[in-house]
Amino acid sequence: MNGNASSAIASPAIHNWSTDAVPPAQRLDYWIGAVCEGFLEMDVTSSLAGSFGATLESAPLGAIGVNRVRGSAQDVYRTRRAIAHSRSNYYYLLCKTDSPWVAVQDGRSARMLPGDVVLVDSRRCYELHLLQSADTLSLELPTAWVESWLPDAGAQVARRIDGQTGWGRVLSGFAQQLSPQGVLSPPLPPALLTDHLGGLLALAAGTAAEASGAAAHGEGARAALRRRVLDATRDRHAEPGLTAASVARGLGISERSLHRSLNEGATTFAAALSGFRMQVARRMLGDARFDRLSIAEIGLRVGFSDASHFVRQFSRHLGMTPGALRRQR
């Protein structure tokens, strides 16, 4: 991100980022930089790259950070490479009130409904699939703070906390009252508000763990299968003409089981394969070491035997041609 586009504005205590600061073709790249600057290093993809838009507002409340994200549908990935490059780590408590979405960590996939709450740990890989929009409240919580309230916090990640019943409803309602603007003049001392949040989190997480205990074994098995399918698809993405049937045979499962496992994770084989190919192509086009390769050769390396098909798919996925991305770099 350049110095003008990434500067914090509006208030000394609130940091704002908006893709309106750059031309449409650069907005997804700008947003990846904003996410890395405002949160931690993460990868972001979107099928709406050509019309992408998003904003991030962030402000501190005592020891925690209050963040509000608004914008287009997107998929967020916390990768091993990103974790290795991070100097700090946090838990994130996430609440989305407008549409369903999916959070994945440690082999668990939490299918979230509006108002539900979920915890993720930035020290381990996770995925956030914001299927219709990205409008989300994200509370950045120090790891020691969370683990003082939840001694088994690691076992609570990617577990859906029902935002409509019991203590989960109280936690969701409390969290939704927090906003970057509101915490500039909090109604109570920040320490008191954060203690209240910690107590509600402990109560709601305990209730959620009891409710999910009976279904945990089956859910874990389904999530493990989905991860195997995605890992195999990622490993074989460079094979031209790769099909779901071929991946299923390699895993020793039926094609129907493969599709069902991905559908439960709110994706499809075609979308997963395309996403993996575009991620690799984008990295290659963004790296000067691959400038000796033509666009067609890069397409072939990520699984496209037809150069024109590669250019069409790349343009649809990222909102610009491969050549334009290379020239922009």
Side-chain angles (χ1 to χ4, degrees):
M1 298 171 60
N2 62 55
N4 292 331
S6 65
S7 58
I9 59 175
S11 163
I14 296 183
H15 287 186
N16 293 318
W17 294 263
S18 173
T19 57
D20 290 342
V22 296
Q26 300 175 23
R27 287 178 179 173
L28 185 56
D29 280 338
Y30 170 91
W31 182 243
I32 294 171
V35 167
C36 293
E37 185 176 345
F39 293 108
L40 297 168
E41 185 170 339
M42 289 180 273
D43 289 337
V44 182
T45 63
S46 176
S47 60
L48 304 174
S51 58
F52 186 85
T55 62
L56 166 60
E57 297 177 313
S58 178
L61 175 65
I64 75 173
V66 178
N67 306 286
R68 175 69 69 174
V69 175
R70 295 183 174 89
S72 303
Q74 56 192 270
D75 299 288
V76 181
Y77 301 90
R78 176 72 167 163
T79 64
R80 292 185 181 88
R81 178 185 61 81
I83 294 169
H85 291 169
S86 294
R87 296 181 179 180
S88 302
N89 279 286
Y90 304 91
Y91 285 94
Y92 287 92
L93 189 69
L94 307 171
C95 181
K96 193 172 186 297
T97 59
D98 64 329
S99 60
W101 61 290
V102 178
V104 180
Q105 188 166 47
D106 287 1
R108 287 192 292 272
S109 178
R111 298 175 63 84
M112 309 294 292
L113 298 176
D116 289 345
V117 181
V118 71
L119 191 69
V120 296
D121 182 353
S122 73
R123 294 170 295 185
R124 287 120 73 191
C125 297
Y126 61 72
E127 302 172 14
L128 308 176
H129 300 289
L130 308 169
L131 308 173
Q132 298 177 36
S133 72
D135 299 358
T136 307
L137 171 72
S138 173
L139 302 181
E140 185 176 87
L141 311 175
T143 56
W145 183 89
V146 171
E147 289 162 3
S148 70
W149 290 101
L150 295 177
D152 61 342
Q156 301 300 327
V157 298
R159 292 194 184 278
R160 171 179 171 259
I161 297 175
D162 187 346
Q164 303 300 319
T165 61
W167 288 111
R169 180 177 182 179
V170 182
L171 173 63
S172 176
F174 180 81
Q176 290 176 46
Q177 295 304 306
L178 301 177
S179 69
Q181 294 84 0
V183 300
L184 292 182
S185 301
L188 293 171
L192 186 57
L193 289 173
T194 55
D195 279 353
H196 193 54
L197 175 67
L200 291 176
L201 175 61
L203 290 167
T207 302
E210 292 175 5
S212 64
H217 178 73
E219 178 185 335
R222 293 192 298 272
L225 175 60
R226 183 161 54 253
R227 175 50 54 196
R228 287 176 59 210
V229 170
L230 290 172
D231 285 347
T233 305
R234 181 187 292 108
D235 291 343
R236 298 178 59 184
H237 76 272
E239 297 180 23
L242 183 65
T243 64
S246 176
V247 172
R249 283 196 301 272
L251 293 172
I253 62 175
S254 69
E255 186 176 355
R256 180 180 178 183
S257 294
L258 179 147
H259 287 302
R260 184 169 60 243
S261 72
L262 293 177
N263 290 340
E264 288 178 350
T267 190
T268 65
F269 176 78
L273 177 59
S274 179
F276 294 140
R277 285 173 168 173
M278 292 304 107
Q279 286 176 20
V280 175
R282 179 179 179 174
R283 291 190 183 108
M284 293 176 72
L285 289 162
D287 190 330
R289 291 175 297 178
F290 294 96
D291 283 353
R292 61 186 176 81
L293 300 178
S294 67
I295 298 300
E297 288 172 323
I298 287 180
L300 186 62
R301 289 198 178 195
V302 299
F304 291 90
S305 55
D306 184 295
S308 60
H309 184 210
F310 168 56
V311 172
R312 288 195 302 272
Q313 288 293 313
F314 192 94
S315 299
R316 184 179 66 82
H317 196 83
L318 295 174
M320 67 176 73
T321 65
L325 178 61
R326 176 175 272 175
R327 289 192 297 273
Q328 178 179 297
R329 188 202 75 218

